[in-house]
Amino acid sequence: MHIPSVETTEIELLTFADALAAANTPSAEYDIQKWLYAPNFYSEYRYILGTRGTHPLICVGINPSTAKPDALDNTLKSVERIAHGNGYDSFLMFNVYAQRATKPDDMERTCNQALHHENMEAFRYLLSMAEQPAVWAAWGAIIEKRRYLPRCVADMLSISRDYDAQWYCAGAISKKGHPHHPLYLRKDEKLKPFDTEAYLRSQMAGV
Protein backbone atom coordinates (compact mmCIF):
# COMPACT_ATOMS: atom_id res chain seq x y z
CA MET A 1 0.00 0.00 0.00
CA HIS A 2 1.18 3.51 -0.71
CA ILE A 3 -0.43 6.33 1.23
CA PRO A 4 1.08 9.73 0.40
CA SER A 5 3.14 10.96 3.32
CA VAL A 6 3.08 14.61 2.19
CA GLU A 7 1.56 16.84 -0.45
CA THR A 8 3.75 16.82 -3.55
CA THR A 9 4.15 20.60 -3.22
CA GLU A 10 6.16 19.90 -0.04
CA ILE A 11 8.87 17.87 -1.75
CA GLU A 12 11.52 18.77 -4.29
CA LEU A 13 10.45 17.37 -7.63
CA LEU A 14 12.87 15.92 -10.11
CA THR A 15 12.19 17.40 -13.53
CA PHE A 16 11.29 14.86 -16.18
CA ALA A 17 14.47 15.69 -18.10
CA ASP A 18 16.58 14.86 -15.06
CA ALA A 19 14.47 11.79 -14.29
CA LEU A 20 14.95 10.51 -17.84
CA ALA A 21 18.70 11.05 -17.69
CA ALA A 22 18.84 9.02 -14.48
CA ALA A 23 16.59 6.32 -16.00
CA ASN A 24 19.11 5.90 -18.81
CA THR A 25 22.01 5.49 -16.38
CA PRO A 26 22.98 1.92 -15.38
CA SER A 27 21.42 0.88 -12.09
CA ALA A 28 22.24 -1.83 -9.57
CA GLU A 29 18.51 -2.16 -8.83
CA TYR A 30 17.23 -3.29 -12.25
CA ASP A 31 18.15 -3.83 -15.92
CA ILE A 32 17.86 -0.51 -17.76
CA GLN A 33 18.05 -2.37 -21.08
CA LYS A 34 14.67 -3.88 -20.22
CA TRP A 35 12.99 -1.23 -18.07
CA LEU A 36 12.22 2.47 -18.43
CA TYR A 37 11.57 3.83 -14.94
CA ALA A 38 11.43 7.56 -14.24
CA PRO A 39 12.28 8.62 -11.64
CA ASN A 40 14.55 5.59 -11.20
CA PHE A 41 13.84 5.33 -7.47
CA TYR A 42 10.72 4.84 -5.39
CA SER A 43 9.17 8.18 -4.51
CA GLU A 44 5.90 9.98 -3.91
CA TYR A 45 5.45 10.31 -7.67
CA ARG A 46 6.24 8.43 -10.87
CA TYR A 47 6.29 9.62 -14.45
CA ILE A 48 6.87 6.39 -16.39
CA LEU A 49 7.21 2.67 -15.79
CA GLY A 50 7.45 0.23 -18.65
CA THR A 51 9.52 -1.97 -20.88
CA ARG A 52 11.71 -0.91 -23.77
CA GLY A 53 10.91 -1.97 -27.32
CA THR A 54 10.42 -0.79 -30.88
CA HIS A 55 6.62 -1.04 -30.97
CA PRO A 56 5.27 0.15 -27.59
CA LEU A 57 1.74 0.56 -26.31
CA ILE A 58 1.28 3.57 -24.04
CA CYS A 59 -1.27 2.82 -21.34
CA VAL A 60 -2.81 5.73 -19.43
CA GLY A 61 -4.19 5.15 -15.96
CA ILE A 62 -5.14 7.72 -13.33
CA ASN A 63 -2.22 7.61 -10.90
CA PRO A 64 0.65 5.29 -9.95
CA SER A 65 0.56 2.84 -7.09
CA THR A 66 3.44 0.69 -5.80
CA ALA A 67 4.73 -0.96 -8.99
CA LYS A 68 8.39 -0.73 -9.94
CA PRO A 69 10.75 -2.73 -12.21
CA ASP A 70 10.57 -6.48 -11.62
CA ALA A 71 7.75 -5.92 -9.11
CA LEU A 72 4.63 -5.23 -11.17
CA ASP A 73 1.26 -5.02 -9.46
CA ASN A 74 -1.82 -6.76 -10.86
CA THR A 75 -2.79 -3.74 -12.94
CA LEU A 76 0.59 -3.59 -14.65
CA LYS A 77 0.61 -7.35 -15.21
CA SER A 78 -2.71 -6.99 -17.01
CA VAL A 79 -1.37 -4.07 -19.05
CA GLU A 80 1.60 -6.17 -20.14
CA ARG A 81 -0.65 -9.09 -21.18
CA ILE A 82 -3.00 -6.89 -23.18
CA ALA A 83 -0.09 -5.13 -24.89
CA HIS A 84 1.52 -8.38 -25.98
CA GLY A 85 -1.85 -9.86 -26.95
CA ASN A 86 -2.44 -6.94 -29.31
CA GLY A 87 0.90 -7.27 -31.07
CA TYR A 88 3.00 -4.73 -29.18
CA ASP A 89 6.48 -5.71 -28.06
CA SER A 90 6.49 -3.47 -25.00
CA PHE A 91 4.30 -1.37 -22.74
CA LEU A 92 4.76 2.05 -21.18
CA MET A 93 2.59 2.91 -18.19
CA PHE A 94 1.72 6.57 -17.88
CA ASN A 95 -0.84 8.27 -15.66
CA VAL A 96 -3.11 11.28 -15.85
CA TYR A 97 -1.60 12.47 -12.56
CA ALA A 98 1.81 11.38 -11.31
CA GLN A 99 1.25 11.21 -7.53
CA ARG A 100 1.52 7.71 -6.06
CA ALA A 101 -1.50 6.56 -4.06
CA THR A 102 -2.76 2.99 -3.82
CA LYS A 103 -6.24 4.34 -3.07
CA PRO A 104 -7.31 7.20 -5.35
CA ASP A 105 -9.24 8.67 -2.41
CA ASP A 106 -5.82 9.49 -0.95
CA MET A 107 -4.79 11.65 -3.90
CA GLU A 108 -4.17 15.29 -3.10
CA ARG A 109 -7.18 17.56 -3.41
CA THR A 110 -5.44 20.24 -5.44
CA CYS A 111 -3.45 19.72 -8.61
CA ASN A 112 0.25 20.46 -8.20
CA GLN A 113 0.85 22.41 -11.40
CA ALA A 114 4.60 21.83 -11.29
CA LEU A 115 4.11 18.07 -11.09
CA HIS A 116 1.49 18.20 -13.83
CA HIS A 117 3.84 20.17 -16.10
CA GLU A 118 6.65 17.64 -15.71
CA ASN A 119 4.18 14.79 -16.22
CA MET A 120 3.10 16.32 -19.52
CA GLU A 121 6.77 16.54 -20.53
CA ALA A 122 6.96 12.81 -19.87
CA PHE A 123 3.89 12.27 -22.06
CA ARG A 124 5.48 14.24 -24.90
CA TYR A 125 8.54 12.05 -24.64
CA LEU A 126 6.49 8.85 -24.82
CA LEU A 127 4.60 10.09 -27.85
CA SER A 128 7.87 10.97 -29.59
CA MET A 129 9.03 7.35 -29.41
CA ALA A 130 6.86 6.18 -32.32
CA GLU A 131 5.90 7.59 -35.71
CA GLN A 132 2.21 7.09 -34.92
CA PRO A 133 1.96 6.41 -31.18
CA ALA A 134 -0.71 4.07 -29.83
CA VAL A 135 -2.32 5.25 -26.60
CA TRP A 136 -4.65 3.10 -24.52
CA ALA A 137 -7.11 5.11 -22.40
CA ALA A 138 -7.52 2.99 -19.27
CA TRP A 139 -8.37 5.29 -16.38
CA GLY A 140 -11.86 4.01 -15.61
CA ALA A 141 -14.39 5.84 -13.46
CA ILE A 142 -11.61 6.78 -11.04
CA ILE A 143 -11.31 10.00 -13.01
CA GLU A 144 -14.35 11.23 -11.08
CA LYS A 145 -12.36 11.25 -7.83
CA ARG A 146 -10.85 14.71 -8.41
CA ARG A 147 -12.18 17.66 -10.37
CA TYR A 148 -8.76 18.49 -11.81
CA LEU A 149 -8.31 15.12 -13.52
CA PRO A 150 -10.48 15.82 -16.62
CA ARG A 151 -8.46 19.00 -17.14
CA CYS A 152 -5.29 16.95 -17.05
CA VAL A 153 -6.78 14.64 -19.69
CA ALA A 154 -7.66 17.68 -21.81
CA ASP A 155 -4.01 18.73 -21.77
CA MET A 156 -2.97 15.23 -22.77
CA LEU A 157 -5.36 15.16 -25.71
CA SER A 158 -4.11 18.53 -26.90
CA ILE A 159 -0.53 17.28 -26.83
CA SER A 160 -1.42 14.01 -28.53
CA ARG A 161 -2.82 15.84 -31.56
CA ASP A 162 0.66 17.16 -32.30
CA TYR A 163 1.91 13.57 -32.60
CA ASP A 164 -1.00 12.10 -34.56
CA ALA A 165 -1.59 9.65 -31.72
CA GLN A 166 -4.17 6.91 -32.13
CA TRP A 167 -6.31 6.36 -29.03
CA TYR A 168 -7.77 3.01 -28.01
CA CYS A 169 -9.76 1.45 -25.20
CA ALA A 170 -10.35 -2.14 -24.10
CA GLY A 171 -13.41 -3.73 -22.59
CA ALA A 172 -16.77 -2.12 -21.91
CA ILE A 173 -17.25 1.63 -21.76
CA SER A 174 -19.06 2.79 -18.59
CA LYS A 175 -22.48 4.45 -18.68
CA LYS A 176 -20.76 7.79 -18.23
CA GLY A 177 -18.39 7.06 -21.10
CA HIS A 178 -15.26 6.20 -19.13
CA PRO A 179 -12.81 3.70 -20.65
CA HIS A 180 -12.37 0.43 -18.76
CA HIS A 181 -9.62 0.01 -16.17
CA PRO A 182 -7.02 -2.69 -17.08
CA LEU A 183 -7.97 -4.99 -14.21
CA TYR A 184 -10.52 -7.75 -14.83
CA LEU A 185 -10.13 -7.70 -18.60
CA ARG A 186 -9.95 -10.98 -20.50
CA LYS A 187 -6.43 -12.06 -21.36
CA ASP A 188 -7.35 -11.96 -25.06
CA GLU A 189 -9.10 -8.55 -24.92
CA LYS A 190 -8.61 -6.60 -28.13
CA LEU A 191 -8.10 -2.88 -28.32
CA LYS A 192 -10.67 -0.79 -30.17
CA PRO A 193 -10.71 2.87 -31.26
CA PHE A 194 -11.68 5.38 -28.56
CA ASP A 195 -13.20 8.76 -29.51
CA THR A 196 -11.29 10.99 -27.13
CA GLU A 197 -12.74 14.21 -28.52
CA ALA A 198 -16.32 13.13 -27.83
CA TYR A 199 -15.31 11.80 -24.45
CA LEU A 200 -13.67 15.06 -23.46
CA ARG A 201 -16.67 17.13 -24.52
CA SER A 202 -18.94 15.03 -22.32
CA GLN A 203 -16.60 15.15 -19.32
CA MET A 204 -15.73 18.84 -19.45
CA ALA A 205 -19.37 19.92 -19.62
CA GLY A 206 -19.71 19.85 -15.84
CA VAL A 207 -16.18 20.91 -14.90
Side-chain angles (χ1 to χ4, degrees):
M1 295 285 289
H2 185 95
I3 301 173
S5 60
V6 294
E7 297 284 307
T8 58
T9 52
E10 299 177 31
I11 60 177
E12 184 176 353
L13 296 174
L14 199 63
T15 66
F16 174 68
D18 287 343
L20 180 61
N24 289 326
T25 301
S27 169
E29 301 296 323
Y30 63 93
D31 181 4
I32 68 164
Q33 299 301 316
K34 176 181 179 182
W35 296 101
L36 177 58
Y37 183 41
N40 66 339
F41 56 89
Y42 193 92
S43 182
E44 291 289 333
Y45 61 98
R46 190 187 78 209
Y47 299 128
I48 300 169
L49 171 59
T51 52
R52 298 179 186 267
T54 59
H55 186 45
L57 175 63
I58 303 167
C59 180
V60 183
I62 279 293
N63 71 298
S65 183
T66 60
K68 55 185 180 179
D70 297 316
L72 299 182
D73 57 21
N74 288 335
T75 295
L76 270 291
K77 290 177 182 177
S78 180
V79 169
E80 186 172 40
R81 284 195 299 269
I82 298 299
H84 290 164
N86 280 270
Y88 297 92
D89 67 357
S90 52
F91 76 93
L92 295 163
M93 190 70 205
F94 182 74
N95 289 279
V96 175
Y97 196 63
Q99 183 192 27
R100 282 191 196 263
T102 302
K103 295 181 179 179
D105 285 334
D106 293 329
M107 291 174 65
E108 50 201 2
R109 296 284 175 179
T110 302
C111 178
N112 179 347
Q113 291 298 328
L115 179 61
H116 174 60
H117 172 78
E118 296 303 329
N119 202 39
M120 294 301 100
E121 290 300 302
F123 189 52
R124 288 182 186 278
Y125 173 75
L126 292 181
L127 294 173
S128 73
M129 297 174 73
E131 185 173 336
Q132 189 173 64
V135 186
W136 172 15
W139 48 77
I142 304 171
I143 196 170
E144 298 178 11
K145 293 289 184 179
R146 296 290 183 266
R147 291 179 62 85
Y148 58 80
L149 293 172
R151 296 189 183 96
C152 294
V153 170
D155 289 344
M156 291 176 55
L157 297 187
S158 177
I159 292 169
S160 73
R161 295 185 195 106
D162 295 337
Y163 293 85
D164 195 25
Q166 300 298 300
W167 284 83
Y168 300 93
C169 63
I173 300 296
S174 76
K175 291 182 180 179
K176 294 185 178 181
H178 303 308
H180 202 289
H181 190 274
L183 277 178
Y184 311 121
L185 290 174
R186 299 194 316 269
K187 293 181 180 180
D188 60 347
E189 194 76 56
K190 296 303 179 185
L191 297 175
K192 53 192 175 185
F194 183 61
D195 189 341
T196 50
E197 302 295 339
Y199 173 78
L200 188 62
R201 286 194 298 271
S202 68
Q203 299 306 308
M204 295 298 288
V207 175

